[in-house]
Amino acid sequence: MTVIWANSGDSHLLEPEGLFAERMPAELASRMPRSEKDPDGQWETIHIDGESFRRRLPSKPLRDEAEGLSADERAPGAFDPELRLKDLDSEGIWAELIYPSISIWNASLKDPELLKAGVQVLNDWIVEFQSHSPRFVCTAHVPLLRIEDAVAEVARAAEMGFKAVFMPVEPPPGMPGFNREDWEPLWQVLESTGLVIGVHIGTEAHDASTYNGQYHRGPGGAVMNYFETTFGGQRMAAQLITSGVLDRHPNLRVIVSEGGATWGPFLADRMDEGYAQHASAVRPKLSKRPSSYLYDQVYASFQHDRSAVAAHTAMGWNNVMWGSDYPHVEGTFGHTQATLRSLFDGVDETARRRILLGAFEELFPHVPAPPNEVAA
Ligand code: MN
């Protein structure tokens, strides 16, 4: 069988243990987020600047295609960029938009000086990681506790060669909402540098003194907690549209990663309905209908969702793309080709190429095409 090549709009790097200890003063390094896993591999303790909470680790996924890996059986290339390329080749994954892992918890830091220093260390290391291959499109961290720090770091990241930033689905507690004018300098620098806004679901800040890894409890709680994480990305996309950010900045591009894709056309309809039918209360007025910004400037990545392809083929959203979530345990490692075959069985070549390669290439035109594109 021939390989189906796919770009991934949702991948991750695993930050090396000891990164902060090597590159920051000890007093600061010890306060950055870190994980301490239990010997049995079932739970971890997340430490964030003197606070900590417990979190259950993902176990082997239950899937038809193939058994997945558990947290202690990472993909061979999880920590090594050269081995990672071998993993990608064997899975049929070409280029990747790469998010952080443990540093997603930076959203919970409260000290702007610590965050600023930690983000600089991270971005310096991440750009070294990115330099291993043009197939790696890494997201830069943005210190969001002071807007001037955020603007300065985006400008620095662009200079360093980043093509995208990672942003959580909402600002840190105490900061203005992303719909507020305060953030205008950030949108300006992102647009002028051409960096894509990568929004990964499940990245809300948590108060580490109270967060226990669960919103819902009791019967159904695990699935409820999972799909609860989906909505933050949709809210952020809707906020950037309805507050006029994407209207004022027509060259800004936003991707919502790991949150499925069928929500896009649904959200577009709901925003248009509110905008037209409740017009007397609507501000600001936009140059176009809200749905136009979603269809033009917002992208989404899905991994297994069975209705996602139809968001493109049946509902007309061109910006649907696939994502592997490599090397996370809940991703497609070990069964990527089987997953792609089942998702794209009977889908025409043009639509398949758009979802698997084209939408990603539109966001990141510097990425080379896969070596031997072949029909499925
Ligand atoms: Mn992911």
Side-chain angles (χ1 to χ4, degrees):
M1 271 194 292
T2 48
V3 67
I4 304 175
W5 282 111
N7 290 330
S8 166
D10 170 30
S11 296
H12 295 265
L13 49 76
L14 298 179
E15 301 83 346
E17 267 181 52
L19 174 66
F20 297 113
E22 281 166 26
R23 301 191 186 197
M24 287 175 97
E27 189 276 324
L28 293 178
S30 64
R31 296 166 59 196
M32 293 300 289
R34 67 191 162 85
S35 159
E36 195 180 347
K37 291 185 176 52
D38 288 7
D40 66 5
Q42 307 275 307
W43 289 76
E44 66 179 339
T45 305
I46 304 283
H47 299 274
I48 305 171
D49 195 8
E51 296 177 338
S52 66
F53 62 93
R54 303 272 290 161
R55 180 170 174 264
R56 187 191 290 276
L57 289 163
S59 56
K60 281 180 192 290
L62 296 170
R63 297 200 58 76
D64 297 337
E65 299 98 317
E67 203 173 73
L69 303 176
S70 60
D72 54 357
E73 306 171 299
R74 294 265 187 209
F79 283 98
D80 181 301
E82 298 303 328
L83 288 178
R84 182 183 184 111
L85 289 167
K86 295 199 170 101
D87 282 352
L88 299 187
D89 285 343
S90 69
E91 292 293 303
I93 301 166
W94 181 244
E96 306 178 289
L97 179 62
I98 302 180
Y99 288 95
S101 290
I102 184 72
S103 348
I104 282 174
W105 296 105
N106 284 352
S108 301
L109 289 172
K110 295 167 187 164
D111 176 349
E113 285 301 323
L114 175 65
L115 178 65
K116 181 180 167 185
V119 160
Q120 286 178 0
V121 167
L122 276 165
N123 287 344
D124 289 346
W125 176 76
I126 292 169
V127 87
E128 291 166 25
F129 183 97
Q130 181 175 255
S131 71
H132 283 272
S133 172
R135 294 160 68 180
F136 299 159
V137 181
C138 292
T139 54
H141 289 262
V142 184
L144 296 171
L145 285 170
R146 280 192 302 237
I147 292 163
E148 63 269 30
D149 291 348
V151 170
E153 189 63 13
V154 168
R156 193 179 80 96
E159 282 282 311
M160 291 164 76
F162 281 100
K163 303 293 184 192
V165 294
F166 157 61
M167 290 193 45
V169 295
E170 62 185 24
M175 293 300 286
F178 284 139
N179 61 325
R180 298 289 176 182
E181 287 285 324
D182 310 65
W183 294 102
E184 188 57 21
L186 178 61
W187 313 131
Q188 277 171 11
V189 71
L190 285 166
E191 185 181 46
S192 67
T193 54
L195 297 195
V196 171
I197 302 176
V199 179
H200 194 286
I201 65 157
T203 49
E204 293 88 350
H206 293 289
D207 182 342
S209 62
T210 55
Y211 177 65
N212 59 10
Q214 295 176 315
Y215 297 101
H216 299 277
R217 290 173 173 277
V223 176
M224 293 294 293
N225 283 321
Y226 175 73
F227 89 67
E228 197 71 51
T229 67
T230 299
F231 299 123
Q234 302 174 23
R235 288 192 191 100
M236 176 155 175
Q239 221 172 21
L240 294 180
I241 293 168
T242 57
S243 68
V245 172
L246 298 190
D247 189 19
R248 294 196 299 278
H249 303 285
N251 296 315
L252 264 188
R253 295 286 180 277
V254 182
I255 172 169
V256 176
S257 295
E258 210 182 317
T262 331
W263 60 268
F266 166 81
L267 191 68
D269 287 346
R270 294 276 79 203
M271 289 188 295
D272 281 357
E273 183 73 5
Y275 190 78
Q277 302 308 116
H278 301 273
S280 61
V282 169
R283 64 180 171 82
K285 299 298 182 202
L286 305 173
S287 316
K288 301 182 285 186
R289 282 187 299 185
S291 58
S292 303
Y293 303 97
L294 186 124
Y295 284 106
D296 292 346
Q297 291 169 259
V298 179
Y299 294 68
S301 86
F302 72 100
Q303 59 194 73
H304 298 115
D305 306 59
R306 276 183 267 181
S307 68
V309 170
H312 172 63
T313 56
M315 302 178 202
W317 193 16
N318 280 329
N319 300 343
V320 176
M321 78 174 79
W322 183 80
S324 67
D325 207 26
Y326 176 93
H328 284 176
V329 172
E330 59 272 35
T332 65
F333 181 75
H335 58 85
T336 302
Q337 289 295 302
T339 294
L340 293 177
R341 281 175 204 289
S342 73
L343 285 167
F344 290 92
D345 185 29
V347 175
D348 80 65
E349 164 64 18
T350 307
R352 185 180 67 81
R353 196 195 184 284
R354 173 70 192 178
I355 295 171
L356 292 183
L357 297 168
F360 187 100
E361 290 168 347
E362 189 169 87
L363 284 182
F364 306 110
H366 70 288
V367 170
N372 54 339
E373 285 189 57
V374 288

